[in-house]
Amino acid sequence: MSAAAPSRAMPRKAGSTIPVLVITALIMAAWYAACLPMNNDLPQLARVTGLAERYQVSWALERPVLPAPHQIVAELYNSTVGTRLFRQTADGMVLNPRNLVFHAWITLSATLLGFAMGSLLGIVIAIGIVHSRTLSKSLMPWVIISQTIPILAVAPIVIVALGSVGLTGLVPKAIISAYLCFFPVAIGMVKGLLSPDTMQLDLMRTYNGSTVQTFWKLRWPAAVPFLFASLKVAVTISLVGAIVGELPTGAQAGLGARLLSGSYFGQTIQIWSALLLAALLAALLVVAVTLAERLTLKAMGSRP
Amino acid sequence: MSEATLDRPEAQASRGHDAAGGVIDIRDLSLTFQTADGPVYALSHVDLAVRKGEFISFIGPSGCGKTTLLRVIADLEQASSGTISVNGLTPEQARLNRQYGYVFQAPALYPWRTIEKNVMLPLEVFGMSRAEQQARARKYLALVNLAGFEQKFPWQLSGGMQQRASIARALSFDPQLLLMDEPFGALDEIVRDKLNEQLLRLWAETRKTVIFVTHSIPEAVFLSTRIVVMSPRPGRIIDIIECDLGDNRTLDIRETPRFLAIAQRVREGLRAGHSYDD
């Protein structure tokens, strides 16, 4: 097919697939190769001789230090597709906590709420900074300082403090998530709202356009591409924030809780599968934002 | 920069002068920019009166203050001293009353708006009805020969077409004064010739007062009724040349002795005011 392709884009596309596949294969090979040395000290391997046999055992351990990729995929499959999704309770059908989808949904809901709150906050801060010199001088340092504080230190404080006033569950996690993700949005939007050039701004001035009109007709649309670039970063760190928010509670639910309980009980495969699902979730979120970006920019007449 | 209102009382006082048909009245106007390297005298003691319906060109080398003078008229810069009135108002009042249309060096179309929506931008800002906006956009796009391109986005048009759209946008609210800052400077010679002809036709149809900044001598002579020759360091007017080539000019006029004589005088003016040695 690529030989017959008339356009120049086709061979380039094919040319990028092969390197990706090669790198993936290399990583997989290295991973499988690493399973034996990583798990070498486990008792199950003590009496096995012969390199091939030792490798085979190292790829099928129950609680390995490093599980093999296929073990992780199998665990992910069993804990999602292989487990009942719903459970009958007195309140009717609910998501089954034994299914990883339940935990993914808990984390995703905190992520989405945090993402929405953080993005909104970031946009509001950016609007304030762009329109008020006082705000730009007083707020900007705090915006930057907020990100120098390690989130792992802040998260328990937020969870405990909010818990003491009766706020538990979704909202505290969303707040931690928002705390992380407002930053790239604020920075990106300040840049975006300031992106119109002198001529575009002078034009509004010659029309005696108000600040509000200049904002909606010029600054905001000019900032939209910047907004989406920021949102792509923000949405992934929102997920990180939600997972981090699930750790200090000793959590019962969520991907963070699975990571935590997995490490308590040495269930490495469970940790890895939760990790893989988190990565898939992040990828899904980025794809969703990218899709929204493409549709929006297309409607705004950007060059295809 | 301070928006000091030092020239406002005088501007009020000069109303009588405007009644005689003056659109712009500039007296002893100076503008000094304070920079880290000391003051820059962008404009020095400029005197100029523009009558209704004139086509005036400001010509001069870069740094002569021709764009700055246009921006002072448009209230995009404020003079340091002297008086200026636009339609009997201060430049600020004139801007607040939307008395002029401004065409920039680049089309400055908003890339997320279709051509039609770009032309409708000022009308939206003024709060005109949707139907009126659309009717005017169609009318003025047709006037600059862009009928059929309403739904295109700016990047789908050539540079010349984009600049024509920006002229339609400046005309859309029918200002009596058109300020044009090297609108065709970035275009190639052939497109520029064509647009010059169209602009003359447009001017003949609408009889607006046009102030046109350029650094091209043929362009200035071809278009103008009067040419203001300017010189840098400090920015000042060194000659004002009547350009009486009559109406209905075509590009052929550029071969006539009268045209060449005027162009020669402009060139001499530029040479006298500007040392090419430095």
Side-chain angles (χ1 to χ4, degrees), chain A residues 31-248:
Chain A
W31 191 332
Y32 275 107
C35 280
L36 181 57
M38 288 295 289
N39 300 324
N40 207 17
D41 298 337
L42 293 179
Q44 292 95 318
L45 275 163
R47 255 171 272 159
V48 185
T49 52
L51 194 61
E53 288 77 14
R54 287 178 68 78
Y55 259 110
Q56 264 171 3
V57 173
S58 79
W59 294 333
L61 295 164
E62 202 181 327
R63 291 183 183 182
V65 175
L66 179 68
H70 71 265
Q71 287 182 290
I72 298 164
V73 174
E75 162 71 13
L76 188 61
Y77 181 87
N78 290 334
S79 58
T80 51
V81 186
T83 310
R84 279 181 55 203
L85 188 55
F86 292 101
R87 194 179 56 150
Q88 189 71 44
T89 66
D91 305 330
M93 297 287 265
V94 293
L95 277 173
N96 182 2
R98 288 181 171 279
N99 192 313
L100 206 52
V101 171
F102 166 82
H103 299 279
W105 167 245
I106 296 281
T107 305
L108 183 64
S109 55
T111 302
L112 292 178
L113 182 61
F115 175 60
M117 291 181 350
S119 303
L120 207 66
L121 179 67
I123 290 168
V124 169
I125 286 175
I127 292 171
I129 284 174
V130 166
H131 286 96
S132 153
R133 183 170 296 198
T134 320
L135 276 184
S136 118
K137 281 195 173 158
S138 58
L139 214 53
M140 207 51 173
W142 286 105
V143 168
I144 289 162
I145 286 168
S146 76
Q147 302 302 304
T148 64
I149 301 165
I151 190 65
L152 273 170
V154 178
I157 300 172
V158 173
I159 298 285
V160 170
L162 288 176
S164 73
V165 297
L167 260 180
T168 54
L170 184 67
V171 175
K173 288 193 282 179
I175 286 174
I176 291 164
S177 172
Y179 180 89
L180 277 186
C181 88
F182 90 93
F183 182 72
V185 176
I187 299 294
M189 280 305 277
V190 166
K191 199 161 179 201
L193 293 172
L194 292 176
S195 68
D197 62 34
T198 317
M199 254 181 241
Q200 291 175 323
L201 285 164
D202 277 346
L203 189 68
M204 281 307 260
R205 207 171 134 75
T206 67
Y207 300 152
N208 186 22
S210 68
T211 308
V212 174
Q213 284 173 325
T214 305
F215 179 81
W216 285 117
K217 293 186 194 301
L218 177 56
R219 289 193 190 277
W220 179 262
V224 166
F226 293 81
L227 176 64
F228 277 107
S230 301
L231 288 183
K232 269 187 246 176
V233 180
V235 79
T236 52
I237 61 175
S238 286
L239 183 67
V240 172
I243 290 174
V244 168
E246 284 164 352
L247 296 179

Side-chain angles (χ1 to χ4, degrees), chain B residues 11-46:
Chain B
Q12 296 287 338
S14 69
R15 276 257 166 89
H17 184 84
D18 299 317
V23 173
I24 290 167
D25 190 30
I26 299 171
R27 290 181 193 188
D28 198 28
L29 184 112
S30 296
L31 197 163
T32 309
F33 291 115
Q34 298 298 338
T35 69
D37 302 331
V40 172
Y41 301 101
L43 292 171
S44 171
H45 305 291
V46 170

Side-chain angles (χ1 to χ4, degrees), chain A residues 196-210 213 217-219 221-222 298-304, chain B residues 71 75-76 78 95-98 100 102 104-106 108-113 121-122 124-126 153 155 169 173:
Chain A
D197 62 34
T198 317
M199 254 181 241
Q200 291 175 323
L201 285 164
D202 277 346
L203 189 68
M204 281 307 260
R205 207 171 134 75
T206 67
Y207 300 152
N208 186 22
S210 68
Q213 284 173 325
K217 293 186 194 301
L218 177 56
R219 289 193 190 277
K298 197 179 165 205
M300 289 174 71
S302 76
R303 237 176 255 246
Chain B
R71 287 176 66 85
D75 189 43
L76 296 173
Q78 278 77 38
R95 178 176 67 80
L96 296 182
N97 290 325
R98 292 135 176 177
Y100 65 83
Y102 200 104
F104 291 87
Q105 284 169 350
L109 299 169
Y110 291 1
W112 51 84
R113 284 173 168 256
L121 176 71
E124 271 176 41
V125 173
F126 302 171
F153 282 99
W155 64 268
R169 180 180 60 189
F173 53 101

Side-chain angles (χ1 to χ4, degrees), chain B residues 95-168:
Chain B
R95 178 176 67 80
L96 296 182
N97 290 325
R98 292 135 176 177
Q99 299 233 335
Y100 65 83
Y102 200 104
V103 179
F104 291 87
Q105 284 169 350
L109 299 169
Y110 291 1
W112 51 84
R113 284 173 168 256
T114 60
I115 295 301
E116 180 182 48
K117 289 265 192 165
N118 264 293
V119 176
M120 281 157 64
L121 176 71
L123 314 177
E124 271 176 41
V125 173
F126 302 171
M128 263 180 207
S129 78
R130 188 93 187 152
E132 174 78 12
Q133 288 177 24
Q134 223 144 26
R136 280 177 179 243
R138 307 242 155 191
K139 176 182 164 192
Y140 285 100
L141 279 172
L143 194 66
V144 298
N145 290 335
L146 279 178
F149 291 93
E150 286 86 356
Q151 300 313 321
K152 297 270 188 251
F153 282 99
W155 64 268
Q156 294 171 299
L157 270 60
S158 70
M161 291 163 98
Q162 288 185 25
Q163 197 54 285
R164 261 150 54 199
S166 95
I167 292 170

